[in-house]
Structure formats: C-alpha cells, structure tokens
C-alpha cells in the first residue's frame, strides 16, 4: 500500500516533535469541544472531494460525513451506526467535522479510500453489497485493516493472495464441521457378553 500525499501535511505533525504537537492539538481540541481543527478539516475535505469518496463505502448514499479510521474510508450516518456496533477494534468511527483527529488517524485516511477498500474486498470475494456485520468480520477486513495500519506506520506488509485465504478458510470450515460432528456422537454403552460375572 502507498499513501499518496501522506508525507505532506501529516509529516509536519508526526515528524520531529510530532508527539508534543499531537498532545497540544489534543488539548486544543478539548477546549474547542473536540471538533476537527482547521488543518485537519482541510486534509479530510481534500480526501472527501475525490470522486471515489463522494459515495458511502457501504451503500449508495452521497456526500458521506463519517469515517472508519481502521479502513481509511468514508461512510454515511446510517452505516456509521452499524460500524459503531462492531466495536472500535473492528471499526473506529469518527465524524469528519465534529471529532478531533490524531495525526496517525489522518494518515490512515490518506492511505485508504473507498474505491481501494471495495476493490480489495472484492478480490477476496466480499462485494460492496455484503451486509456490514458479515463484511467487516471477514478475513478480507482483517487483512485490509493490517494493510492500512502498516502503510500508515511506514511498514511493509504483503497480505496473502485471495487463493491462499480461500484455501485456509475452506480448511477451517472443514475442521469446524468435523469437530461439531465428533462432539455430537453419543457414547454407546458397552455390549454385555451375557455373563454378568465376566462383565465385572
């Protein structure tokens, strides 16, 4: 994964002395009521203006005003509510306008994009129309989260190819099915030999 433009405004926040500036930004956001700063809003609006991000990542709603940091995607209000129910470890939801943003979160947004996310999911057999609960609990979602995290942190990460993931999922399902069938077997009583004394 490559983050186009991520080294521009974000580096200034996350480079030398970046942690100190991030803390200062956090305190300033608290004083403002945790709204996005003008600088953060400028970065986010620039990303929102891209054609690929003008429609919700999960449905056809236009002009999405919410985002999932884990995937670097924009979404509508209705879908953001479903994402919140997944838990922050699956999808960390932010409002573009009403929430404060950390530098690393902005970087993840720059590394993502709605089209890129949907194309990745599609490769792993998870189309855009997949129900949100199923879609974001899939192996594809896990791999994409790690891809975005690695790109934002400047690490190299190569997810396994779709064919390998499919093979692993089939094997996992077979093992689960076998374990279920084995647990359902009833232990039959030992057949008596007819000689009660010998059975003791």
């Amino acid at each position: 994964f490559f983050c186009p433009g991520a080294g521009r405004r974000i580096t200034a926040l996350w480079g030398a002395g970046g942690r100190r500036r991030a803390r200062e930004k956090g305190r300033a956001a608290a004083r403002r009521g945790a709204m996005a700063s003008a600088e953060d809003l400028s970065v986010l609006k620039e990303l929102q203006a891209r054609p690929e991000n003008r429609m919700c990542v999960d449905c056809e709603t236009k002009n999405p005003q919410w985002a999932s940091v884990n995937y670097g995607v924009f979404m509508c209000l209705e879908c953001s509510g479903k994402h919140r129910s997944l838990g922050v470890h699956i999808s960390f939801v932010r409002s573009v306008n009403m929430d404060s943003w950390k530098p690393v979160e902005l970087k993840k947004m720059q590394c993502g994009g709605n089209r890129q996310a949907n194309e990745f999911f599609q490769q792993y057999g998870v189309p855009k129309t997949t129900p949100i609960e199923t879609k974001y609990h899939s192996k594809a979602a896990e791999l994409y989260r790690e891809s975005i995290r690695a790109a934002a942190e400047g690490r190299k990460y190569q997810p396994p190819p779709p064919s390998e993931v499919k093979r692993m999922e089939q094997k996992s399902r077979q093992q689960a099915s076998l374990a279920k069938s084995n647990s359902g077997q009833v232990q039959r009583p030992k057949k008596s030999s007819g000689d009660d004394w010998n059975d003791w």
Side-chain angles (χ1 to χ4, degrees), residues 78-93:
E78 184 176 345
C79 289
S80 75
K82 295 176 183 178
H83 272 255
R84 285 187 188 278
S85 71
L86 302 175
V88 295
H89 63 296
I90 298 293
S91 186
F92 182 51
V93 178

Side-chain angles (χ1 to χ4, degrees), residues 67-78:
S68 174
V69 176
N70 312 60
Y71 306 94
V73 295
F74 293 95
M75 66 189 67
C76 68
L77 176 61
E78 184 176 345

Side-chain angles (χ1 to χ4, degrees), residues 34 71 130 136 182 184 196 198:
Y71 306 94
T130 303
Y136 292 96
N182 287 342
D196 293 335
N198 290 336

Side-chain angles (χ1 to χ4, degrees), residues 1-138:
F1 277 67
F2 172 67
C3 297
R8 216 165 50 225
R9 295 175 187 166
I10 301 302
T11 302
L13 296 170
W14 198 242
R19 288 198 178 113
R20 177 179 55 79
R21 278 191 288 277
R23 285 195 299 271
E24 290 171 358
K25 277 186 66 190
R27 285 194 283 272
R31 289 193 296 271
R32 290 193 309 273
M35 291 182 70
S37 70
E39 187 177 10
D40 294 350
L41 203 52
S42 176
V43 172
L44 292 164
K45 290 297 182 184
E46 183 182 324
L47 294 172
Q48 278 184 305
R50 295 177 182 174
E52 64 177 281
N53 295 329
R54 291 178 184 171
M55 186 178 289
C56 175
V57 70
D58 294 316
C59 71
E60 303 303 313
T61 303
K62 295 180 180 179
N63 193 30
Q65 296 298 313
W66 295 81
S68 174
V69 176
N70 312 60
Y71 306 94
V73 295
F74 293 95
M75 66 189 67
C76 68
L77 176 61
E78 184 176 345
C79 289
S80 75
K82 295 176 183 178
H83 272 255
R84 285 187 188 278
S85 71
L86 302 175
V88 295
H89 63 296
I90 298 293
S91 186
F92 182 51
V93 178
R94 300 267 84 189
S95 164
V96 171
N97 299 291
M98 296 182 289
D99 288 321
S100 61
W101 289 74
K102 296 176 182 177
V104 70
E105 293 171 352
L106 289 172
K107 199 166 184 180
K108 285 181 178 180
M109 295 304 297
Q110 288 188 314
C111 292
N114 289 10
R115 183 175 62 233
Q116 177 179 283
N118 279 319
E119 286 177 353
F120 184 96
F121 278 82
Q122 184 69 50
Q123 286 178 4
Y124 288 84
V126 184
K128 177 175 177 173
T129 53
T130 303
I132 287 175
E133 174 78 19
T134 304
K135 183 177 183 179
Y136 292 96
H137 277 102
S138 67

